[in-house]
Amino acid sequence: MIEVEVKAHVNDFEAVEKKLDEIGAKKIKFEHQKDTYFNNPDYRDFEKTDEALRIRITTIKEKEEIILTYKGAKMDTVSKTRKEIEAKVEDSKNTGLILENLGFKPVETIEKDRTTYLFNEFIISLDEVYKVGNFVEIEKEASEGEDFKESLDKIFKIYKKLGIEDGFERRSYLELLGIYNS
Amino acid sequence: MIEVEVKAHVNDFEAVEKKLDEIGAKKIKFEHQKDTYFNNPDYRDFEKTDEALRIRITTIKEKEEIILTYKGAKMDTVSKTRKEIEAKVEDSKNTGLILENLGFKPVETIEKDRTTYLFNEFIISLDEVYKVGNFVEIEKEASEGEDFKESLDKIFKIYKKLGIEDGFERRSYLELLGIYNS
């Protein structure tokens, strides 16, 4: 699966939430995400290859869901569009231990509070990322091989409707935190 | 977790089943297991390191359970005792795709029918391994750092009670199939 995605840094969510309401976007959930990123510099240094390996623990209303995710390198120069493979797992500790025994070590854990909206076929996330800042992400799934340019155009049009015309950010949170060089 | 384990090749299960009945072992389940083993020779060649990475799909009464497992190298010269870490996953296809994107490629899929018995704290499995043969495995979980010699002695005593005094096999099914050199 390809995740067609653009992220933008915003100062506060209030104006964005008002616009989301105006365009008829539907608030669908609020969740906490705890993301642990792994790397294996001796084998394949994700800081250089632009890949990512992550265990995400999502908490919605005290219920936990754990997802192991691989992300490929970014596929263009304007967005964060990339290959993404997700697999739900039951045990974050043992999944992490398996990765560690294979040589992939935890680099950093990033926590955020995410409010998710749905607008047509697009998912809009308002992310309060601890120690980093506030971000709005707009994304859509595409199939591998599919032309995603049209979806990207639509994403930038939605940003415009939300009053966001700059602050676009292709760097990862690990780069923004200075853990990886950007 | 350490899996204290001994495996033995047997010609048929009939005599073993009779003995299991006599010593009061309890038959607890029958299942089908489909095990796909992965390797990454360019990074860490499990054929040489004696490690294993496996996705097991277990089917019991049409219900599937999927487990991702890492196994460390064998810890002694008489048994198959080794570190084992298991994590239940929901999606074998995506879990496999994540491993493949990390460079771990599927080597072989081994299928077996397993009948499991419980005898005191030991698990006894009668495995009909397709294209390989019939095997009896006796195992017990131990903690890391724990002395497992006593458990091993007990395992060999159970084998004796079952009338199995030779045919002990430390080679993996990949070795027995000639996929890995033993």
Side-chain angles (χ1 to χ4, degrees):
Chain A
M1 197 264 291
I2 303 296
E3 186 188 41
V4 187
E5 181 186 309
V6 178
K7 178 165 86 178
H9 176 252
V10 297
N11 288 318
D12 75 289
F13 289 135
E14 214 174 303
V16 181
E17 282 169 330
K18 215 180 140 221
K19 295 274 189 186
L20 282 166
D21 203 42
E22 283 171 20
I23 65 171
K26 228 185 258 171
K27 195 191 284 196
I28 55 168
K29 61 181 168 181
F30 174 79
E31 64 201 9
H32 178 78
Q33 296 181 338
K34 191 174 161 187
D35 295 345
T36 301
Y37 289 90
F38 291 77
N39 194 11
N40 189 347
D42 295 334
Y43 163 55
R44 211 195 280 182
D45 190 349
F46 297 154
E47 180 175 357
K48 289 178 187 137
T49 62
D50 190 28
E51 295 166 284
L53 180 62
R54 178 183 74 192
I55 294 176
R56 166 169 289 176
I57 304 173
T58 299
T59 311
I60 309 185
K61 291 177 185 162
E62 290 174 36
K63 211 179 155 286
E64 268 192 7
E65 188 183 75
I66 305 157
I67 293 175
L68 175 66
T69 304
Y70 166 83
K71 292 185 183 227
K74 288 186 274 295
M75 294 168 69
D76 68 10
T77 55
V78 296
S79 74
K80 290 176 65 64
T81 300
R82 61 211 299 194
K83 183 182 194 173
E84 183 177 283
I85 308 165
E86 294 188 325
K88 207 167 157 185
V89 300
E90 279 208 0
D91 182 332
S92 61
K93 187 170 159 256
N94 278 9
T95 304
L97 282 174
I98 291 173
L99 296 181
E100 287 193 49
N101 275 276
L102 295 173
F104 299 84
K105 308 291 178 196
V107 175
E108 181 69 50
T109 296
I110 311 263
E111 292 196 56
K112 64 166 101 80
D113 292 318
R114 166 170 284 185
T115 307
T116 305
Y117 289 79
L118 203 59
F119 180 65
N120 301 329
E121 70 270 39
F122 295 90
I123 293 165
I124 304 175
S125 304
L126 271 48
D127 289 339
E128 193 181 327
V129 187
Y130 300 9
K131 296 177 196 168
V132 188
N134 292 342
F135 295 86
V136 174
E137 263 186 27
I138 305 181
E139 65 180 77
K140 182 185 176 295
E141 286 186 12
S143 308
E144 286 187 48
E146 187 185 321
D147 182 18
F148 55 83
K149 228 198 140 296
E150 202 185 324
S151 296
L152 265 186
D153 287 345
K154 284 187 187 169
I155 286 177
F156 282 110
K157 273 181 195 156
I158 299 170
Y159 272 112
K160 208 168 176 179
K161 283 186 198 195
L162 299 180
I164 300 167
E165 305 206 40
D166 53 21
F168 296 112
E169 184 57 78
R170 291 181 73 245
R171 288 173 293 178
S172 68
Y173 296 124
L174 295 184
E175 289 172 323
L176 290 169
L177 282 169
I179 291 157
Y180 281 179
N181 288 315
S182 48
Chain B
M1 196 264 289
I2 302 298
E3 186 188 40
V4 187
E5 180 185 310
V6 178
K7 177 165 88 179
H9 176 252
V10 296
N11 289 318
D12 74 290
F13 289 136
E14 215 175 302
V16 180
E17 282 170 330
K18 214 180 140 220
K19 295 273 188 188
L20 282 166
D21 203 43
E22 281 171 22
I23 65 171
K26 228 185 257 172
K27 194 191 285 196
I28 54 169
K29 60 182 167 179
F30 174 78
E31 64 200 10
H32 177 79
Q33 296 181 339
K34 191 175 161 185
D35 296 344
T36 301
Y37 289 90
F38 291 77
N39 194 11
N40 190 346
D42 295 335
Y43 163 55
R44 210 194 281 182
D45 190 349
F46 297 154
E47 179 174 357
K48 289 178 187 138
T49 62
D50 191 27
E51 295 166 284
L53 181 63
R54 178 183 75 193
I55 294 176
R56 167 170 288 176
I57 304 174
T58 300
T59 312
I60 310 186
K61 291 176 187 162
E62 289 172 37
K63 211 179 154 284
E64 269 193 6
E65 188 183 75
I66 305 156
I67 292 175
L68 175 66
T69 303
Y70 166 84
K71 292 187 182 224
K74 288 187 276 294
M75 295 168 70
D76 67 9
T77 55
V78 297
S79 73
K80 290 175 65 63
T81 300
R82 59 211 301 193
K83 182 181 193 174
E84 183 177 283
I85 308 166
E86 294 187 327
K88 206 169 158 185
V89 300
E90 280 208 358
D91 182 333
S92 62
K93 188 173 159 253
N94 278 10
T95 304
L97 281 175
I98 290 173
L99 296 181
E100 288 193 48
N101 275 276
L102 295 172
F104 298 85
K105 307 291 178 197
V107 175
E108 182 68 46
T109 296
I110 311 264
E111 293 197 55
K112 65 165 100 82
D113 292 318
R114 165 170 285 185
T115 308
T116 306
Y117 290 78
L118 205 59
F119 180 65
N120 301 328
E121 72 270 39
F122 295 91
I123 292 164
I124 304 175
S125 305
L126 272 50
D127 290 340
E128 193 183 329
V129 187
Y130 300 10
K131 297 177 195 168
V132 189
N134 292 341
F135 295 86
V136 174
E137 264 186 24
I138 305 181
E139 64 180 79
K140 182 185 177 293
E141 285 186 14
S143 308
E144 285 186 48
E146 186 184 322
D147 182 18
F148 56 83
K149 227 196 140 298
E150 202 185 324
S151 296
L152 266 186
D153 288 345
K154 285 188 188 169
I155 286 177
F156 281 110
K157 274 181 195 158
I158 299 170
Y159 271 112
K160 209 169 177 180
K161 284 185 198 193
L162 299 179
I164 299 167
E165 305 207 38
D166 53 23
F168 296 110
E169 184 57 77
R170 291 181 73 242
R171 287 173 294 177
S172 68
Y173 297 124
L174 295 184
E175 289 171 325
L176 290 170
L177 281 169
I179 292 158
Y180 282 179
N181 288 315
S182 50

